[in-house]
Amino acid sequence: MSTRLDELAARVSAARADAAARGETFYPGPSRIHLAAFPPKQRWDDWVELESTDWPRRTERHYMLVPTTCFNCESACGLLAYVDRETWQVRKFEGNPEHPGSRGRNCAKGPATINQVTDPDRILQPLKRAGARGSGRWEPVGWDAALDDIAGRIRAAIVDGRANEVMYHVGRPGEDGFTERVLASWGVDGHNSHTNVCSSGARAGYHFWTGIDRPSPDHAGAEVILLISSHLEAGHYFNPHAQRIMDAKQAGAKLIVMDTRLSNTATHADFWLSPYPGSEPAILLAIAAHLVRTGRYDREFVRRWWNWAEYLAAERPEAPRTFEAFEAAFGELYASYTFAFAAAESGVPERTIAQVAETVAAAGTRLSTHTWRSAAAGNLGGWQVARTLFLLNALLGAVATPGGTYPNAWNKFVPRPIHTPPHPPSWNELTWPLEYPLALNELSFLLPHFLKEGRGTLDVYFTRVYNPVWTNPDGLSWMEVLTDERLVGLHVALTPTWSETAFLADYVLPMGLGPERHDLHSYEQYDGQWVAFRQPVLRAARERAGAQVTDTRQVNPGQVWEENEFWIELSWRIDPDGSLGIRRYHESRAHPGQKLTVDEYYGWIFEHSVPGLPAAAAAQGLTPLAYMRRYGSFEIRAGVGAVHEEPVPESELDDAATDGFGRVYTRAPAPASPNVVPMGTPEPDAAGRRPVGVVVDGVVRRGFPTPSGRLEFYSRTLAAWGWREEAVPGYQRSHVHPTALDADQMVLISTFRLPTQIHTRGGNAKWLDELAHTNPLWLHPTDAARIGVGTGDLVRVETEIGAFVVKAWVTEGIRPGVVACSHHMGRWKLREQGQQGQRQVMATVDLTRRDDQWRMTRLAGVAPYASGDPDTARIWWTDVGVHQNLTFPVHPDPISGQHCWHQAVRVRPAEPGDTYGDIAVDTGKAHAVYRSWLEQTRDAARHSPDGTRRPYWLMRPLKPSRDAYRLAEEPAHDAARP
Ligand code: SF4
């Protein structure tokens, strides 16, 4: 059978013959063989293409192709940098066909990496504040001076017992564990993340079921795909998932999309459901109840793998401990979740829900489901969206099956690093306050309120690829604390570009973009495990050409550094003589007493922690590090399968004991595993044995990393920590449920992305800015008629704490009564900051404050400007959208800690004097809203069942020592009482 390559070769032969017949010289094409989709890896040292700017002359350019990974979302797709062998500059980025997750494909943001590299407004040298914070006055500073100053303050904080005053706050990590390891080496519980404004709602829903906080759907093998997010354009792992969703659709799979807004994904769906925001669990529970009522579920799977016996013992002690009794109890629990009820809550027609339920039922074990952010990040109780979605998989047995949904830990690989410091000995209540013992991540977005309340202060605060003033809700409260040097002593912004938050720093330190730094990744994008290597491509290119590069600054533009080398250097300066015990975690193993290099750090990992890589490298005569520098990724295994079903070998059952529900504990030491992927760490038994598996029909199997070892339909953790009524998958009416709104209020959805924007980092990616640079308010025609506005008219959107003025976009792509505004746009810089900033996407504003009253007025949009890039003189757009997040108060979910983004708003025509982009905020009201949500919590001091601050088994990005978990005082009352 003829292959595609044969066909292409035949065409080339025919073209050669044609040319010969015309008496012309045949030009075989720059690639010499054919225009293949991807350059074959054997030719990455010298790949030839024609110089496009010389057309019609055929000028051949020779490139070295160097792999790295994209840093423009969390998918970590593979990129190939085309490094010009003459100039040693990167000319473009395209997909890396060797990357198992992205398979050579990218979204628009991958190739736009070149815009970021050549951005004329990027920061190229370290800067130090030269006036008041936020005054816009800066002076250049050397790396050495900045490092010494920062290191001295951190050392003093550690030595003085003020370690909790050191905090590292990260937006997009883009790596697995490097910085957590650095903080652990300092003994500092100082990790803060953005996750509670992002995905912790979904994570909590998954974690309480499986002990793992992410799903890994096998979309490509599915017969039915059920999504609660906009995956094809902007959702989680969206390019790697989108291509697999399309594979499945082409093979005949049905696609169900629940999204109040007609997203690009919804346009591809067989069923688009536009539910009233927050009602998603009601629909999912109605489908679940239908599956059970009609007997269309996998009874054996439920019997074997759910912790139903534990549920009966805790909640139905009078019932016989039989599976039939559980089935009856399940039916009773969800009897009220009829299609009619779901239709009344959601506004989706009953008939449509019934059709969807039948479609789901027909999927059997080939149901792939996914939710991330979206409804789970919008609503009070949103974490139950993920919990009720996974309930469908758990009922159908579509868990770790081909076409089903896997727990992510089985499709992800985090290699063990060269040094592993101990858990920090302290607990930081600025990130993990007692009110939120079950939060999946740091209460990051409450930091300004905690600082204002006097819960602590920060001496050294790093923001890294993080822009809370713009990204978080309530940004002006952030501004208030970041400009107060009594609350934040030193603010160090680690960033490649200017941002609203970097303007408020004391040091702005230029860090490398994706192709200028090292990182390791592995993400769950199909049933397999891979690792990918982000690397500074010019360093790798120079080294491939025989040069020696000892510091990434030698090849990066200006004085741009990479963070890993920065952290190693900083750690050495904190502990120059090693007396604090920090330095040893940043020393070479090969050359004790010398500084660890990134080559040794990654070389050790690839040599010792990635199974199969050393052999694959040796087969090509390469070291493992050289292999990863050349190809950028490695697939460890495909087809991981159902890990929970694996029998536990006898050798791991030393002095084993089993509890009343089949959880098995052992004294055998845990086998050393190179994979340190984060997941739940269930507690040992009373005799100190570690959990090793669970008995299922007489066989000890691996099970899940939950307390019971099973899928936890019933969470004893939730019940024991004061949330008994939430211990099983359920539906809690959202804070924006119709019954919570006034008659003239609507719901604002602000959680959706623009597919070609990247939060803060895409700012000056000129191709992306040209594609998308505004965020009008989606408004249904019936609402537009009622309000009396049309497309392009200015409307005033009033929230609990303020208002913003934006343009209307009238569309039937949103349900009546709901409005939507994308969260990517509305970047700004203060008038005082002049030319500093991302001038392709930032408006210039005037910002005034009188006590708690803030006003922002737009002075100018963007305009053409002269720079080293002639395209900046061709900017044709002025609009950059409106920064709505400033007008949102914080809404922390009392269980998951997730910020509940949806807002109850009033939408009116703009008033006389209102102008586009106007913003008004009352930060006093913002603090009052924070206090009111705080009152909904059930804190550890009153509800801890065991004298700890938080269940030890729950994941934490940087886990302190077990001692740090102990409360200073015993709980105030019986914790089991809700
Ligand atoms: S999906 Fe797009 S932005 Fe995200 S990593 Fe892949 S190419 Fe980059």
Side-chain angles (χ1 to χ4, degrees), residues 479-623:
M479 197 147 190
E480 288 175 358
V481 299
L482 287 176
T483 48
D484 187 338
E485 291 180 46
R486 293 164 304 175
L487 300 179
V488 180
L490 185 75
H491 173 197
V492 182
L494 307 175
T495 174
T497 55
W498 284 109
S499 73
E500 290 76 353
T501 302
F503 288 136
L504 305 177
D506 299 296
Y507 284 108
V508 175
L509 302 182
M511 292 301 171
L513 291 157
E516 298 162 353
R517 51 182 291 130
H518 289 94
D519 293 305
L520 266 186
H521 328 266
S522 174
Y523 296 120
E524 59 287 352
Q525 296 171 347
Y526 62 96
D527 182 26
Q529 290 176 325
W530 53 263
V531 291
F533 191 33
R534 181 175 292 137
Q535 61 177 339
V537 293
L538 293 179
R539 174 177 181 147
R542 292 281 187 181
E543 288 176 345
R544 207 192 288 175
Q548 202 188 8
V549 180
T550 53
D551 184 311
T552 307
R553 286 173 292 184
Q554 293 161 3
V555 292
N556 276 347
Q559 295 182 47
V560 171
W561 209 358
E562 73 155 338
E563 280 161 51
N564 293 354
E565 287 173 346
F566 166 80
W567 291 122
I568 293 168
E569 184 62 38
L570 184 65
S571 300
W572 269 66
R573 293 189 191 215
I574 293 170
D575 186 19
D577 59 3
S579 58
L580 295 183
I582 293 172
R583 210 184 81 172
R584 64 190 149 125
Y585 299 110
H586 306 278
E587 285 181 9
S588 164
R589 270 201 192 191
H591 306 285
Q594 292 184 23
K595 214 169 283 176
L596 184 63
T597 64
V598 288
D599 269 359
E600 185 179 351
Y601 179 82
Y602 290 107
W604 189 93
I605 287 176
F606 297 146
E607 181 78 41
H608 297 93
S609 288
V610 182
L613 176 54
Q620 297 197 22
L622 298 171
T623 64

Side-chain angles (χ1 to χ4, degrees), residues 711-879:
L711 290 175
E712 297 211 333
F713 167 75
Y714 169 75
S715 169
R716 78 172 82 145
T717 305
L718 281 159
W721 286 75
W723 293 98
R724 184 177 164 197
E725 73 275 27
E726 300 285 348
V728 299
Y731 169 50
Q732 179 185 4
R733 284 182 164 173
S734 168
H735 64 298
V736 292
H737 188 269
T739 54
L741 302 189
D742 294 338
D744 61 346
Q745 284 185 311
M746 304 173 76
V747 181
L748 168 63
I749 294 178
S750 64
T751 46
F752 68 98
R753 294 182 183 186
L754 294 173
T756 53
Q757 284 293 354
I758 319 165
H759 298 286
T760 294
R761 281 165 294 138
N764 266 13
K766 62 186 179 187
W767 300 339
L768 305 180
D769 294 337
E770 184 165 22
L771 287 168
H773 46 256
T774 189
N775 59 346
L777 190 77
W778 297 38
L779 192 67
H780 192 269
T782 55
D783 293 316
R786 176 174 53 78
I787 295 166
V789 295
T791 292
D793 288 347
L794 288 185
V795 290
R796 184 184 173 84
V797 182
E798 295 173 0
T799 68
E800 287 163 280
I801 64 167
F804 62 97
V805 178
V806 66
K807 288 176 195 155
W809 181 48
V810 181
T811 169
E812 290 185 345
I814 188 84
R815 69 172 300 115
V818 181
V819 290
C821 188
S822 160
H823 69 77
H824 273 305
M825 305 312 305
R827 304 291 309 284
W828 49 268
K829 61 187 175 67
L830 299 176
R831 180 208 316 250
E832 298 78 9
Q833 280 145 358
Q835 300 304 304
Q836 288 162 2
Q838 297 183 306
R839 286 180 284 171
Q840 297 163 34
V841 78
M842 281 181 166
T844 304
V845 301
D846 187 34
L847 184 63
T848 60
R849 177 186 184 184
R850 180 176 296 169
D851 300 325
D852 294 337
Q853 307 298 318
W854 290 80
R855 293 278 179 278
M856 181 180 284
T857 312
R858 181 157 306 185
L859 301 174
V862 298
Y865 63 99
S867 77
D869 180 352
D871 277 348
T872 61
R874 302 183 184 115
I875 290 173
W876 53 265
W877 61 94
T878 57
D879 189 4

Side-chain angles (χ1 to χ4, degrees), residues 70 72-73 75-77 106-107 109-110 238-239:
C70 180
N72 284 340
C73 84
S75 304
C77 296
N106 299 114
C107 76
K109 293 177 284 191
F238 81 88
N239 175 279

Side-chain angles (χ1 to χ4, degrees), residues 259-272:
D259 195 331
T260 309
R261 186 183 63 92
L262 181 65
S263 63
N264 290 1
T265 311
T267 63
H268 287 67
D270 296 280
F271 293 96
W272 170 42

